[in-house]
Amino acid sequence: MTALEVLDLLGIFVFALSGATLAVEKRLDLFGVLVLASVAALGGGLLRDVLLGALPPAAFRDSRYLAVPVVAGLVVFVGSRYVERLASPVRLFDAAGLGLFVAAGTTKALDAGLGALPAVALGSLTGIGGGIARDVLVGVVPVVLRRELYAVPAIVGAAVITVGDGLDLPRARVAAVGAGLVFALRMLGVWRDWHFPVAKDTGRAGT
C-alpha cells in the first residue's frame, strides 16, 4: 500500500465518522447513517478524480474505498453513546478528515503534473467536497459557507504541501505536516472562535 493510498483511506475513514456522527445526531436510521457516512467520505475523492480525469474514480476501482465508510458507519451506529461523549465529535472528525483529504488531494494533483495554484485549488476542493455534500443532505448550511474558518486551513495546508514539493522535500513528511497543520488551524479556529465577519442585519428580513 502506497503512502497516498494510506492518506486516502485514513481520510475516508475519518470523514465517514463525521458523516455517521452527524446522521446519528439527526436521528437517521441505520441506512441513513451508512449513506451519510459514505457521502461524506467519498465526495471529495470523487470530485478530485473526476477533475483529474482519473476514470473510473478510485472509489469504484478499489473495494476498500466502499468498505471503509460502511465499517466507520457501523462503528458509530453501534457505539454512538460513546462517540457522543467526545467534545464536538463532528467537528473533531471533520477537521481530521479535512487535513488528510487536503494532503491526499494536493499530492495527487502534483503527481498528475498540475502547477502550484491548480494543485492548491484541487487539494482544497478535495478536502471540503465531502463535508459540503454531507451537510446539504441533512439540510445544514455547509460549514465552508458559515463564519467558521474552514476553507482557509485547507488552502494553507495545500500551499505548504505544494511549496514543500517545489523544494524537493520528502513527499510523505510534507503531506503529514500539511495534514497536521490543517487539523491544528481548524481546531484552533473553533477553540478561539475565529471567523470571518458577516453582513449586518438590516432588519428587513421577512418584510
Side-chain angles (χ1 to χ4, degrees), residues 19-181:
T21 304
L22 183 59
V24 169
E25 288 184 3
K26 295 295 183 180
R27 308 304 299 165
L28 302 187
D29 62 14
L30 176 58
F31 181 73
V33 170
L34 297 181
V35 168
L36 207 61
S38 299
V39 168
L42 301 177
L46 288 172
L47 176 63
R48 174 199 64 205
D49 290 349
V50 168
L51 290 176
L52 286 175
L55 301 175
F60 300 127
R61 287 185 279 109
D62 189 332
S63 59
R64 294 174 299 179
Y65 283 69
L66 297 175
V68 168
V70 172
V71 172
L74 290 173
V75 167
V76 172
F77 186 82
V78 173
S80 59
R81 59 180 176 176
Y82 301 106
V83 173
E84 289 172 354
R85 293 177 183 175
L86 296 173
S88 302
V90 175
R91 281 175 167 168
L92 182 67
F93 295 141
D94 185 72
L98 180 66
L100 290 165
F101 262 32
V102 165
T106 307
T107 301
K108 203 161 189 176
L110 293 168
D111 285 342
L114 269 63
L117 289 178
V120 170
L122 188 59
S124 301
L125 284 173
T126 302
I128 68 177
I132 290 175
R134 174 200 64 207
D135 292 346
V136 168
L137 278 180
V138 292
V140 175
V141 177
V143 179
V144 72
L145 300 181
R146 294 183 229 159
R147 302 171 69 198
E148 300 178 19
L149 292 186
Y150 196 78
V152 170
I155 293 170
V156 171
V160 167
I161 294 170
T162 302
V163 171
D165 181 77
L167 296 174
D168 290 326
L169 298 177
R171 179 70 62 84
R173 292 182 184 179
V174 170
V177 170
L181 182 60

